[in-house]
Amino acid sequence: MEKAVEEPPSSTVLLDHCHFSQVIFNSVEKFYVPGGDVTCYYTFTQHFTPHRKDWIGIFRVGWKTTREYYTFMWVALPSDISKELTKQQEVQFKAYYLPKDDEYYQFCYVDHDGVVRGASIPFQFRPETEEDILVVTTKGKVEEIEEQNKELCKENQELKDSLASLQKQNSDMQAELERKQEELETLQSISKKLEQKVNEQKACWETELLQLKEHNQKMSSENEKMGSRVDQLQAQLSTQEKEMEKLVQGDQAKTEELETLKKENGQLLLSLTQQREHQKKLEQTVEDMKKKETTAAKKQQELMDENMDLSRKVSENKIICDVLQREKERLEKENDLIKRENSRLLNYMGLDFDSLPYQGPTSDQEGARPNPGLVYGNPYSGIQESSASSMKHFACKSGFADGICDHTLEQQMQTLLLNCPICQKAFLASEKQIFEDHVFCHSL
């Protein structure tokens, strides 16, 4: 069940029934039909004054403290308490907040101190039946009168108890009044003594007043002196104010100069930022150039290595050329010897060497045409062609010497060159280790 946001003032103390008759609940039904709003009627007695924090709660019969309420509503105070206090008041409970069971409940008026000031007769929340209607029509008024009689008797007893309490309070107040009178007499005697002391103090104050007047005259003369001193100080103050104005003007000029310097500083910072960005670009360019330089250095190193390889090959080719040239000279000498031997044999056989049909090469270019695929030409072409032409010439002139010359030429070429059996590349006989390494590389 939902309750109001603000909790009402309540008490956990087990309460008695001495104040239950100060607020009287009127027209309380024996039961209320569930689903409808319930209006609670009540009247204040002359012994009670309501407060804006008073509230009326619905309690289940058998409650012990005011914190056991089921729901509550704040009391609406009359606009004129003095005139409308005795009129019947009312407060309405919405159906949504009312109990849903058929237990017995009662209205209770609780003041701002958490004290119960009135309680109604018990009632229930249940549907109306025909039996209840008959009972109400025949005995309802009688029971209501009996209940009111009981309430009045109860209220009478409470009033008697309240009267005894008030009489006791009156006797207590009289005793208190006598005690206060005794205290008043004591205070009066004390007041007389204080008046005497005040008179004595007054004489002393008059003497002190005369002394103060003399002191005041002295202070007046000193005040005049201080006035002249104040005039001097005011003149100094005006002079200082003028100097202050000059300083303020100088300060304004310095402030303007400072603003100008700040602007220049901002421009310098902008320029410095641009220079830093340009420097970063330059550094990036330098890094790129360093990378290119490193790449170029690597390329140059590769070219230098390649150049060294080519130089080494050129040196080797020069050496091979020299060796082949010497071999050529040796073969030419051998060819001359063979020619002379051939001439001698032909002369011995009665043949003329010049009468033999022979056509030699017309020029050195036809006998030793360089290989276009080599830089320095084929180093073996001159020797091979020269030897072959000599052998063929010898064969043309002497048919019986054909086998001997071919065999001799083949033996000479085998002794001079080493041919690769895979790629047919030729090597000098002096380069046997290179030849073996070359052949081994084909097997890898």
Side-chain angles (χ1 to χ4, degrees):
M1 185 189 67
E2 296 182 359
K3 293 184 173 61
V5 176
E6 184 180 2
E7 293 292 333
S10 58
S11 175
T12 58
V13 180
L14 185 62
L15 302 174
D16 54 14
H17 300 76
C18 61
H19 303 290
F20 282 16
S21 61
Q22 294 181 358
V23 178
I24 299 172
F25 290 95
N26 305 320
S27 303
V28 179
E29 303 292 340
K30 293 181 64 176
F31 65 89
Y32 294 94
V33 179
D37 299 338
V38 174
T39 303
C40 175
Y41 301 96
Y42 59 95
T43 306
F44 297 112
T45 63
Q46 60 182 357
H47 303 290
F48 178 71
T49 302
H51 190 269
R52 65 182 185 86
K53 283 292 184 179
D54 295 350
W55 54 281
I56 294 175
I58 296 177
F59 291 79
R60 181 177 293 178
V61 174
W63 57 272
K64 299 297 182 183
T65 64
T66 56
R67 289 191 177 182
E68 299 178 14
Y69 63 90
Y70 185 86
T71 184
F72 78 98
M73 291 293 295
W74 295 108
V75 173
L77 293 179
S79 58
D80 189 355
I81 298 177
S82 60
K83 294 181 180 180
E84 299 181 3
L85 187 63
T86 58
K87 291 184 179 180
Q88 181 172 272
Q89 310 293 328
E90 66 180 40
V91 64
Q92 190 177 48
F93 291 89
K94 296 295 181 180
Y96 178 78
Y97 299 102
L98 296 175
K100 303 297 188 293
D101 54 17
D102 57 353
E103 296 289 333
Y104 283 92
Y105 293 89
Q106 63 180 151
F107 298 115
C108 291
Y109 188 101
V110 185
D111 65 3
H112 62 282
D113 293 326
V115 179
V116 177
R117 298 295 181 175
S120 70
I121 61 174
F123 55 85
Q124 289 180 291
F125 292 94
R126 61 181 177 84
E128 186 177 9
T129 61
E130 294 181 358
E131 182 179 357
D132 294 329
I133 295 172
L134 292 174
V135 172
V136 170
T137 54
T138 56
K139 297 181 180 180
K141 292 183 179 180
V142 176
E143 291 179 355
E144 184 177 357
I145 292 171
E146 290 178 354
E147 290 292 337
Q148 289 180 358
N149 191 14
K150 289 180 181 179
E151 290 292 333
L152 291 173
C153 292
K154 184 177 180 181
E155 184 178 355
N156 189 14
Q157 184 64 35
E158 290 176 354
L159 288 174
K160 289 180 180 180
D161 295 338
S162 178
L163 179 61
S165 176
L166 289 173
Q167 288 176 353
K168 184 179 180 181
Q169 290 178 1
N170 188 16
S171 61
D172 293 337
M173 292 295 290
Q174 288 179 356
E176 183 70 18
L177 181 61
E178 291 176 358
R179 185 176 63 81
K180 291 293 184 181
Q181 287 178 353
E182 292 177 357
E183 291 179 356
L184 180 61
E185 292 175 356
T186 305
L187 290 173
Q188 287 177 354
S189 60
I190 294 171
S191 176
K192 289 180 181 180
K193 293 180 181 179
L194 289 174
E195 286 179 358
Q196 292 177 358
K197 290 182 179 180
V198 166
N199 293 329
E200 294 176 356
Q201 189 69 28
K202 185 177 180 181
C204 295
W205 285 349
E206 289 176 353
T207 305
E208 290 179 357
L209 180 61
L210 294 175
Q211 294 176 354
L212 288 173
K213 286 181 179 180
E214 293 176 356
H215 182 70
N216 190 15
Q217 291 177 357
K218 293 180 181 179
M219 291 297 293
S220 297
S221 60
E222 290 180 358
N223 192 13
E224 292 177 356
K225 294 179 181 178
M226 291 297 293
S228 60
R229 179 61 179 169
V230 166
D231 294 335
Q232 294 177 359
L233 291 174
Q234 287 180 350
Q236 292 179 0
L237 181 61
S238 61
T239 304
Q240 289 179 357
E241 287 178 351
K242 292 179 180 179
E243 293 178 355
M244 183 64 71
E245 290 178 356
K246 292 179 180 179
L247 291 174
V248 169
Q249 292 177 357
D251 190 13
Q252 291 178 354
K254 289 182 179 179
T255 304
E256 293 176 356
E257 184 178 359
L258 181 60
E259 292 293 331
T260 305
L261 291 174
K262 284 182 178 180
K263 292 180 180 179
E264 293 178 356
N265 189 17
Q267 294 177 357
L268 290 173
L269 288 174
L270 180 61
S271 177
L272 180 60
T273 305
Q274 294 176 354
Q275 289 180 0
R276 286 179 178 175
E277 292 178 354
H278 183 64
Q279 184 179 1
K280 288 181 180 179
K281 292 180 180 179
L282 291 176
E283 289 177 355
Q284 185 65 32
T285 305
V286 169
E287 292 293 330
D288 295 339
M289 292 181 68
K290 284 182 179 180
K291 292 179 181 179
K292 292 180 180 180
E293 183 179 359
T294 305
T295 306
K298 291 181 180 179
K299 187 68 177 177
Q300 184 179 4
Q301 185 65 33
E302 292 176 358
L303 293 173
M304 290 177 66
D305 295 339
E306 185 177 355
N307 190 14
M308 290 178 65
D309 292 338
L310 292 173
S311 299
R312 183 175 55 78
K313 290 180 180 180
V314 168
S315 299
E316 291 177 355
N317 289 332
K318 285 183 179 180
I319 294 170
I320 293 171
C321 185
D322 293 337
V323 172
L324 292 176
Q325 186 68 30
R326 287 194 296 272
E327 187 67 23
K328 178 183 178 182
E329 291 174 357
R330 187 180 64 79
L331 291 174
E332 286 178 353
K333 290 179 182 181
E334 290 180 357
N335 192 15
D336 292 337
L337 291 175
I338 291 171
K339 284 181 179 181
R340 287 194 294 271
E341 184 66 24
N342 192 13
S343 298
R344 189 182 62 78
L345 291 173
L346 290 173
N347 291 329
Y348 179 75
M349 295 173 62
L351 298 174
D352 188 2
F353 181 77
D354 296 328
S355 63
L356 293 174
Y358 171 75
Q359 285 184 351
T362 60
S363 65
D364 294 337
Q365 294 176 357
E366 294 177 359
R369 184 178 293 111
N371 190 349
L374 299 175
V375 179
Y376 299 98
N378 189 356
Y380 309 110
S381 61
I383 299 172
Q384 292 173 356
E385 292 177 1
S386 177
S387 301
S389 62
S390 299
M391 293 300 106
K392 288 178 181 179
H393 176 72
F394 181 73
C396 291
K397 296 182 71 174
S398 177
F400 69 90
D402 187 13
I404 298 172
C405 292
D406 290 340
H407 181 69
T408 303
L409 181 60
E410 185 178 358
Q411 287 181 352
Q412 289 177 354
M413 293 299 293
Q414 288 179 356
T415 58
L416 182 63
L417 298 174
L418 296 173
N419 293 324
C420 177
I422 298 173
C423 64
Q424 301 301 324
K425 185 177 181 180
F427 293 88
L428 295 175
S430 61
E431 296 177 345
K432 184 177 180 181
Q433 183 63 40
I434 298 174
F435 169 74
E436 292 177 354
D437 293 340
H438 175 76
V439 174
F440 179 73
C441 288
H442 282 296
S443 64
L444 295 178

